[in-house]
Amino acid sequence: MWWADLKAALGQRINLEGIACAVGIVSKEQHLAIPHVSVPDIRYIDWAELKKRGFKGVVFDKDNTITVPYSLSLWPPLGSSIDQCRSLFGDNVAVFSNSAGLSEYDPDGEKARALEDSIGIKVIRHRTKKPAGSAEEIEELFGCESSSLVMVGDRPFTDIVYGNRNGFFTILSGSLSLAEEPLIVRQVRLLEVALVKRWSESGVKMTTQSCSGFYGVCKRYTTLIVIYEYGFQNDIVFVGNRIFEKIRTNSSILD
């Protein structure tokens, strides 16, 4: 068990599959790293709107999307959003993680079971680390094509690339906490964000998804623009009646 834990810790710091993929993304597939929608965290996602637009299920990344890094418990402030998501999509909600449920780092499924017991959401067992791999396991679980599913994650070069490559509707969420992340992960994240921002501002278009007018899936905003401190489109973020200057530190803009 200690060896699996060590491999998992190292693997989350150095994603060789991700590094190999990044070469291709930077050179010729930049559009795959552009999310359809970006939000500070999942509390800003309008689950009812996604359901209304015909999506059949939601797939979450784990670390820094619904839990802080290396935790097997839901980040408490996200509880109401997860509950709303489950109330609308029922059993068609799952976690697809590069830690819990990945056979390389969780060979006996202990982490997956602990996470399922903690948050009440199915954890998909799989063999290939994102962004590599197909959507076969996910489509089998949900009983539908990936184009009818939403992929939510915090990493452009892993979660978003995987989702776009396999036909999901992709939502990039902000990091819940950087304090628990290793320095190298924080540095790579900053590089990813900087590249995505640059590509977006230079006119690189996101992958086509059959859901037009997708900005409606983000709630509590007074503008119909791509959101977040990453600043894909603008320097001001409008939330309700409050205005926040662009935050460049990935800290939550919520009180």
Side-chain angles (χ1 to χ4, degrees):
M1 179 58 65
W2 68 270
W3 175 239
D5 291 339
L6 177 60
K7 286 176 64 180
L10 291 174
Q12 287 183 277
R13 288 161 172 78
I14 304 174
N15 184 341
L16 296 179
E17 293 89 345
I19 292 172
C21 174
V23 174
I25 297 299
V26 171
S27 62
K28 59 183 179 180
E29 294 183 309
Q30 300 169 358
H31 64 285
L32 290 178
I34 309 295
H36 294 106
V37 171
S38 300
V39 295
D41 63 54
I42 69 168
R43 289 173 289 183
Y44 287 78
I45 300 173
D46 191 332
W47 302 115
E49 185 67 21
L50 285 169
K51 183 72 172 180
K52 176 182 176 182
R53 291 175 184 273
F55 291 103
K56 298 179 180 179
V58 180
V59 180
F60 291 102
D61 173 51
K62 173 189 168 295
D63 293 301
N64 252 333
T65 300
I66 60 173
T67 76
V68 296
Y70 313 116
S71 171
L72 294 175
S73 299
L74 181 71
W75 193 53
L78 303 182
S80 60
S81 181
I82 290 291
D83 288 344
Q84 184 189 28
C85 179
R86 293 177 62 193
S87 72
L88 290 163
F89 292 97
D91 292 333
N92 287 343
V93 180
V95 173
F96 192 65
S97 170
N98 276 352
S99 53
L102 180 64
S103 59
E104 182 178 0
Y105 305 138
D106 188 21
D108 59 1
E110 181 179 353
K111 292 184 177 67
R113 289 190 297 272
L115 185 61
E116 288 172 337
D117 291 342
S118 173
I119 65 176
I121 295 175
K122 172 73 175 178
V123 177
I124 299 171
R125 277 62 165 179
H126 60 111
R127 297 181 178 277
T128 306
K129 184 185 293 186
K130 295 175 292 182
S134 71
E136 183 178 353
E137 293 104 337
I138 297 176
E139 290 177 329
E140 288 180 358
L141 175 66
F142 285 87
C144 64
E145 294 184 355
S146 57
S147 58
S148 296
L149 302 174
V150 179
M151 170 66 69
V152 185
D154 69 303
R155 297 292 298 274
F157 277 32
T158 52
D159 306 310
I160 302 307
V161 168
Y162 171 84
N164 284 337
R165 180 176 283 159
N166 286 288
F168 292 81
F169 182 78
T170 55
I171 300 180
L172 180 68
S173 65
S175 301
L176 301 179
S177 172
L178 298 182
E180 291 83 0
E181 279 193 338
L183 176 61
I184 188 172
V185 175
R186 295 199 299 269
Q187 292 174 330
V188 170
R189 182 191 299 280
L190 289 174
L191 177 60
E192 290 180 10
V193 169
L195 287 173
V196 170
K197 179 179 183 295
R198 177 181 178 184
W199 296 335
S200 179
E201 291 178 344
S202 66
V204 175
K205 303 299 182 183
M206 66 193 70
T207 58
T208 302
Q209 235 283 352
S210 59
C211 177
S212 60
F214 53 75
Y215 296 108
V217 305
C218 299
K219 60 186 178 182
R220 299 199 295 269
Y221 283 84
T222 60
T223 54
L224 302 182
I225 55 174
V226 175
I227 309 157
Y228 196 37
E229 64 244 33
Y230 294 166
F232 294 137
Q233 298 287 338
N234 70 326
D235 290 338
I236 300 293
V237 177
F238 296 82
V239 186
N241 294 321
R242 302 154 62 194
I243 299 178
F244 296 83
E245 294 295 331
K246 189 194 322 182
I247 304 170
R248 295 187 180 277
T249 61
N250 284 337
S251 59
S252 175
I253 64 174
L254 291 177
D255 291 335

